[in-house]
Amino acid sequence: MPHSTLPEGHDTWDFPLSPFEHFPTLIWRAGSDAKCSYFNQTWLDFTGRSLEQEIGDGWTSGVHPEDFDRCVGTYLEHFAVRTPFEMEYRLRRSDGQYRWIIDTGRPLYDKAGEFAGYIGSCLDITDRRNTEAELRERENRLSTLLASMGEGVVMRDAEGLLLLHNSSAEQILGLNSDEMQGWDVHGGLLTYLNEDGEPIEPRQIPAMQAIATGQPRAGLLGLDRRDGRRRWLWTNSIPLFDDDSPKPCGVVTTMADITARREDEEQLRLALTVFRNSVEAIIVTDAQEHILSVNRAFSEVTGYSAEDAIGKTPRMLQSGHHDHNFYVAMWRDIQDHGFWQGEIYDRRKNGTLYPSALSISVVRDKLERITHYVAVFSDITERKASEARIAYLAQHDPLTGLPNRALLQDRLDQALAGAVRHNSRIALLFLDLDRFKTINDSLGHMIGDRLLQGVALRLSACTRDTDTISRQGGDEFLIVLTDVEGPDDAARVAEKILDQLRPPFDIDGQLLATSFSIGIALYPEDGTCADSLMKNADTAMYHAKECGRNTYRFFDELMNVNALERLHMENALRQALEQQELSLYYQPQVSLASGRIIGVEALLRWFSGALGGVSPASFIPLAEECGLIVPIGRWVLHQACKQAVQWQKQGFEPIPVAVNLSALQFRRADMVATVREALEASGLEPRWLELELTESLLMQSGTEVERTLADLKALGVRMSIDDFGTGYSSLAYLKRFPVDCLKIDQSFVRDLIDDPDDAAIVRAVIQLGRSLRLEVIAEGTETPEQLDVLRAEGCFAAQGFVFSPPLPAEALNDLLRIGVLPGSLIISD
């Protein structure tokens, strides 16, 4: 019986073999080692061999040599995977003849579910195979006969099921032999049509009508084949009868493809329909150019009716736009080549001109004599406008309408050539919008595009018509100033641009302030070709950014040295992660009430093998600019979480570790997944991770940022606002975001003692934090005097050199062990 826990098709081996001894089928049994251990007496009688001769692999000696490899291979393959099998091979009978048998084997399992081998049974199918071979031979003879017939032949039974066919029928019907086998006339392989091309039911075709009436049927039948082609057939269907029945048992149909003849007739009707309904205007004239016929489109384009045109010549459309030589050349091509094609201006009946795409063809008779001319034309006014638009877009930026890179290159080359001829000077200004990526990332590309359009309009007000303003892509612009007297002219334009950009842009109610960093290169001092001028202006622009942005700089050779250093730094930074040159330092955050360390901030450091120690002020903006801040930020997050767990394992009291997130990292990375991954990889509880977000990111956020912040908060992490107080926006955003802490920017703390304005800002932030029940941490606290003021104002905590500089994790262990920092207990007199 089948074991209840075994797959279907597997049997348990819990019954004796003796009942199989005299079964009419050949029975065999094999163990789990694929060796046969049993054959019934029917098998032994069939082969004429003893059980001792057959067991093991002995039975294979009776397999026909041509079947041996296939038989044994199939047998062993199924033993390996323990699945049922069925195969046919020839086995030698006791009289020496080979007989075809079909061998079926099934796997066996013991009661414990262990594989126990196979049991199989065999039947002699030689007679069946011989009968099949005879039938195939008859079918071959019939197929040969049918294949020799030029007409298609099909035979169906009384239900419409195909019994036989010839190859001509396959070609005519567009079906292959597999599709024709057993094809039911009702099966939907073909769509049948009546003489008018309307679909009809299969029962309405001549063959099925012959079966229904018992009478021959002949007639026209249309087919829509599966390949999409329509064929027209002349069919003759003859019903078939059994000797003892008056009802037809089938039908034989012959078919001839008459599609070509019918299409010739249709072609004439189609040509007339096309002529009448063509969207292009058509004129047919005789050999003397008198108009014989025009179509409806002719009247729509020209305004002339058929009655207006017939009998006249096409010269009635001449506009006077082309001279005599144009028409002479046109007719010369028509006479010499039988065809002319081109664009021409014609005149409508109302007198207006229009551009036309015209082709004129000659029609000749069998003796090559000209009998007609056919002119086909269309109004291409819209196409010409589109071509002009395409030509414009090929040379202009589609967003701003300014010349693009290709047109700028052409204009610059022309300006340089003119400067050479006239011994004059030109200036090239390379402009880059400051902090545009932050706007784009924070507010989206649609706002960024609107800003670029506004910038382009203001730029246009700063230059002359002879100058060229170009958008190079992204937030980069180039300006070519011609006929400049000297550097002062270029400087005045740069100052005017900076002045024009000073007022903020109002975009959908949002006031966006921006500025340019501008690099200036002069011809011939800074370059004598377009490439050198563009390269040097670009270098000067980067120098302007390094000098604080919202300014301009002229190129000098020293800038090339700085640009090369920057390139080396970027290349080294790209390898810093892989070469393990990055590390984290940690700076304590100290409670001003208790003096205890309540947290640490993770700060990134880079010690390059090629450059030595590199300042974060240098490499972090570079990482932002080239996109490396995303993988570096992921690494920082993972390292900080691991270190926090390590401190806990060392027995230190758990404290939050704060990690800075850049706006670019926040926008480009899946921050929720990244934070979750870092927490899970390290095993850190979410409450001991604090994410520091910039105030500018929160101020410029949309719904997507709000959703991300909510998802991060749902993980259980803390969130703080870094550099608080440096923004210029409403503080209403604080109510929308789930932040825990405000960090006063060090620029306010630094001058806290000497600057009343900074002191007022610090006091206001501390009071704001209290009102919103937020912790407030003062960054960059360096002196006891600053500490006293912060403590007096009720500031929650502080961090800075007054307590400790940023330290490697190992160096921080002693401070964490003490827990209370001496600097925090300093109280000024």
Side-chain angles (χ1 to χ4, degrees):
M1 296 178 63
H3 195 284
S4 62
T5 63
L6 295 177
E8 185 179 349
H10 295 172
D11 296 327
T12 57
W13 182 247
D14 56 0
F15 52 87
L17 289 168
S18 56
F20 296 117
E21 279 298 303
H22 299 288
F23 261 41
T25 57
L26 285 63
I27 305 296
W28 57 270
R29 162 79 164 88
S32 60
D33 58 357
K35 304 292 186 181
C36 288
S37 58
Y38 170 78
F39 295 90
N40 68 351
Q41 190 60 45
T42 307
W43 177 290
L44 300 177
D45 292 342
F46 181 89
T47 63
R49 292 160 57 84
S50 67
L51 179 61
E52 290 74 13
Q53 292 174 307
E54 297 290 67
I55 61 176
D57 298 329
W59 65 276
T60 61
S61 63
V63 177
H64 194 286
E66 295 178 0
D67 302 334
F68 184 87
D69 290 344
R70 176 176 53 81
C71 172
V72 175
T74 301
Y75 179 80
L76 294 177
E77 287 172 4
H78 283 275
F79 255 88
V81 296
R82 303 176 183 178
T83 56
F85 66 82
E86 182 177 284
M87 60 180 172
E88 296 182 8
Y89 58 89
R90 284 166 286 186
L91 188 65
R92 188 173 61 242
R93 201 168 58 182
S94 58
D95 60 3
Q97 291 186 5
Y98 281 99
R99 304 288 291 178
W100 281 96
I101 67 168
I102 184 168
D103 190 345
T104 303
R106 295 175 62 86
L108 296 172
Y109 293 82
D110 60 21
K111 291 183 178 180
E114 297 294 328
F115 176 64
Y118 269 76
I119 187 169
S121 62
C122 308
L123 288 174
D124 186 339
I125 60 171
T126 305
D127 294 337
R128 188 191 77 187
R129 288 178 66 100
N130 291 340
T131 301
E132 291 172 351
E134 290 177 7
L135 290 173
R136 284 195 296 271
E137 183 178 356
R138 292 180 185 177
E139 290 178 357
N140 288 337
R141 288 198 296 268
L142 180 58
S143 296
T144 301
L145 176 62
L146 291 174
S148 65
M149 297 179 63
E151 293 183 322
V153 178
V154 295
M155 177 185 291
R156 298 184 181 276
D157 64 14
E159 303 302 323
L161 192 67
L162 189 69
L163 301 177
L164 62 85
H165 69 284
N166 66 352
S167 59
S168 295
E170 293 179 12
Q171 297 173 4
I172 292 172
L173 299 175
L175 301 173
N176 59 42
S177 57
D178 291 337
E179 293 169 328
M180 295 285 284
Q181 287 294 334
W183 170 37
D184 188 343
V185 72
H186 304 284
L189 285 180
L190 300 174
T191 299
Y192 302 103
L193 311 169
N194 61 20
E195 189 171 355
D196 296 327
E198 297 294 330
I200 58 174
E201 298 292 331
R203 58 184 175 80
Q204 296 176 282
I205 68 174
M208 300 308 293
Q209 287 293 304
I211 292 176
T213 63
Q215 300 294 322
R217 283 287 188 271
L220 184 66
L221 177 66
L223 295 176
D224 279 342
R225 303 194 320 188
R226 297 184 67 185
D227 60 9
R229 300 176 63 185
R230 176 169 292 187
R231 312 304 293 175
W232 292 97
L233 314 180
W234 185 261
T235 65
N236 189 14
S237 299
I238 307 297
L240 303 176
F241 298 89
D242 286 334
D243 293 338
D244 55 352
S245 173
K247 188 175 180 180
C249 62
V251 61
V252 173
T253 300
T254 60
M255 59 187 75
D257 190 337
I258 61 167
T259 305
R261 188 184 72 191
R262 182 179 173 91
E263 285 181 349
D264 288 341
E265 298 171 355
E266 288 290 335
Q267 198 67 32
L268 293 174
R269 288 194 293 269
L270 180 61
L272 182 58
T273 301
V274 169
F275 175 79
R276 289 173 176 170
N277 299 290
S278 173
V279 295
E280 294 186 293
I282 302 175
I283 302 173
V284 180
T285 75
D286 59 18
Q288 287 72 43
E289 304 175 39
H290 294 105
I291 298 175
L292 301 177
S293 181
V294 296
N295 66 350
R296 182 167 56 241
F298 168 87
S299 299
E300 292 172 353
V301 171
T302 68
Y304 290 102
S305 67
E307 291 76 13
D308 293 334
I310 292 175
K312 297 183 175 63
T313 70
R315 286 186 289 274
M316 63 185 292
L317 302 175
Q318 285 185 3
S319 62
H321 183 79
H322 306 283
D323 60 21
H324 175 72
N325 292 333
F326 173 85
Y327 293 103
V328 169
M330 179 180 76
W331 279 104
R332 184 167 53 246
D333 284 350
I334 294 171
Q335 298 302 325
D336 293 347
H337 307 294
F339 181 77
W340 181 88
Q341 184 174 8
E343 293 184 5
I344 190 172
Y345 275 86
D346 281 336
R347 189 180 301 276
R348 294 187 177 89
K349 186 176 182 179
N350 63 10
T352 59
L353 297 182
Y354 62 94
S356 170
L358 169 66
S359 64
I360 301 175
S361 301
V362 171
V363 180
R364 300 179 186 272
D365 60 16
K366 293 180 180 180
L367 300 177
E368 291 298 312
R369 293 176 301 192
I370 295 177
T371 60
H372 299 84
Y373 295 101
V374 177
V376 179
F377 61 96
S378 58
D379 184 346
I380 58 171
T381 302
E382 292 185 4
R383 192 187 82 187
K384 298 287 281 187
S386 297
E387 290 173 351
R389 176 64 177 166
I390 292 171
Y392 176 83
L393 291 177
Q395 295 187 318
H396 291 79
D397 172 42
L399 178 65
T400 62
L402 295 176
N404 62 11
R405 188 184 302 269
L407 184 54
L408 183 280
Q409 183 71 46
D410 181 65
R411 297 272 182 88
L412 181 53
D413 289 341
Q414 292 181 33
L416 285 170
V420 171
R421 285 194 306 270
H422 301 109
N423 193 28
S424 59
R425 307 171 81 178
I426 66 172
L428 181 65
L429 279 62
F430 198 115
L431 304 87
D432 185 271
L433 272 178
D434 296 328
R435 300 182 182 87
F436 177 72
K437 289 182 179 178
T438 301
I439 295 173
N440 227 16
D441 291 340
S442 302
L443 302 181
H445 290 284
M446 290 186 65
I447 297 296
D449 287 349
R450 295 274 300 280
L451 176 60
L452 289 173
Q453 289 170 338
V455 167
L457 286 175
R458 293 192 188 180
L459 282 179
S460 299
C462 299
T463 58
R464 303 162 299 177
D465 292 340
T466 55
D467 301 326
T468 299
I469 306 172
S470 167
R471 179 178 176 230
Q472 297 291 285
D475 58 348
E476 294 180 346
F477 296 81
L478 280 179
I479 299 179
V480 178
L481 303 178
T482 59
D483 296 324
V484 297
E485 294 295 330
D488 289 347
D489 288 348
R492 277 193 292 272
V493 174
E495 290 170 353
K496 187 175 182 180
I497 290 171
L498 296 177
D499 185 60
Q500 283 286 328
L501 285 187
R502 188 167 291 113
F505 291 82
D506 186 349
I507 299 178
D508 295 338
Q510 296 196 68
L511 294 180
L512 300 179
T514 188
S515 61
F516 269 128
S517 293
I518 305 174
I520 305 173
L522 298 173
Y523 169 86
E525 293 92 332
D526 302 328
T528 56
C529 67
D531 288 343
S532 62
L533 282 175
M534 292 177 71
K535 172 179 173 295
N536 293 337
D538 186 29
T539 300
M541 181 275 295
Y542 275 108
H543 189 60
K545 283 188 177 294
E546 292 169 357
C547 293
R549 305 173 187 263
N550 193 26
T551 187
Y552 64 90
R553 287 293 182 271
F554 284 92
F555 173 79
D556 65 52
E557 194 55 41
L558 182 61
M559 293 181 183
N560 270 338
V561 176
N562 295 336
L564 189 60
E565 290 177 353
R566 182 180 179 278
L567 180 61
H568 289 329
M569 183 184 295
E570 181 178 338
N571 291 335
L573 184 58
R574 290 187 182 277
Q575 304 175 37
L577 269 179
E578 181 179 341
Q579 297 181 359
Q580 299 181 349
E581 296 177 347
L582 299 178
S583 61
L584 291 184
Y585 276 41
Y586 299 88
Q587 187 172 41
Q589 298 171 337
V590 180
S591 168
L592 296 187
S594 66
R596 301 190 63 81
I597 297 175
I598 59 169
V600 293
E601 180 180 0
L603 299 169
L604 184 62
R605 295 294 183 264
W606 178 25
F607 298 94
S608 169
L611 305 175
V614 184
S615 168
S618 297
F619 76 81
I620 289 180
L622 179 61
E624 291 264 7
E625 191 172 312
C626 61
L628 290 174
I629 196 66
V630 175
I632 290 176
R634 185 181 298 112
W635 178 87
V636 169
L637 195 58
H638 278 259
Q639 290 299 114
C641 290
K642 288 179 183 177
Q643 185 58 55
V645 171
Q646 182 64 30
W647 278 326
Q648 292 180 20
K649 289 181 179 179
Q650 290 176 292
F652 297 125
E653 182 179 350
I655 55 175
V657 58
V659 176
N660 288 278
L661 298 182
S662 75
L664 184 65
Q665 180 186 6
F666 195 86
R667 291 294 178 184
R668 291 191 180 178
D670 184 347
M671 282 310 305
V672 178
T674 301
V675 172
R676 185 187 295 113
E677 177 187 329
L679 292 170
E680 292 176 352
S682 63
L684 181 66
E685 292 184 45
R687 61 179 172 152
W688 303 122
L689 174 64
E690 181 173 308
L691 303 178
E692 294 192 4
L693 310 171
T694 63
E695 187 176 12
S696 60
L697 169 64
L698 298 180
M699 286 192 303
Q700 297 171 350
S701 66
T703 56
E704 184 178 349
V705 170
E706 293 187 31
R707 189 183 309 112
T708 301
L709 291 173
D711 292 342
L712 286 172
K713 193 62 179 177
L715 291 178
V717 301
R718 288 170 51 85
M719 282 189 283
S720 63
I721 301 177
D722 195 18
D723 301 336
F724 187 79
T726 58
Y728 300 92
S729 181
S730 168
L731 296 178
Y733 71 90
L734 285 175
K735 297 190 296 184
R736 304 204 315 269
F737 302 121
V739 296
D740 304 284
C741 176
L742 305 179
K743 301 192 74 176
I744 304 175
D745 186 68
Q746 59 183 337
S747 64
F748 303 125
V749 177
R750 183 183 306 116
D751 297 324
L752 175 62
I753 303 301
D754 302 323
D755 190 329
D757 291 337
D758 285 349
I761 291 174
V762 170
R763 186 180 303 112
V765 173
I766 294 172
Q767 292 174 354
L768 176 66
R770 279 180 175 171
S771 301
L772 297 176
R773 292 184 294 279
L774 300 176
E775 298 174 2
V776 178
I777 297 178
E779 293 184 300
T781 307
E782 298 181 351
T783 67
E785 290 79 12
Q786 294 169 350
L787 205 60
D788 289 343
V789 173
L790 291 172
R791 188 183 288 113
E793 293 294 344
C795 186
F796 174 72
Q799 71 180 82
F801 279 74
V802 71
F803 303 122
S804 169
L807 298 171
E810 298 79 6
L812 199 66
N813 287 351
D814 291 340
L815 297 181
L816 292 175
R817 191 173 293 110
I818 297 171
V820 178
L821 296 186
S824 64
L825 302 179
I826 297 174
I827 302 177
S828 160
D829 292 336

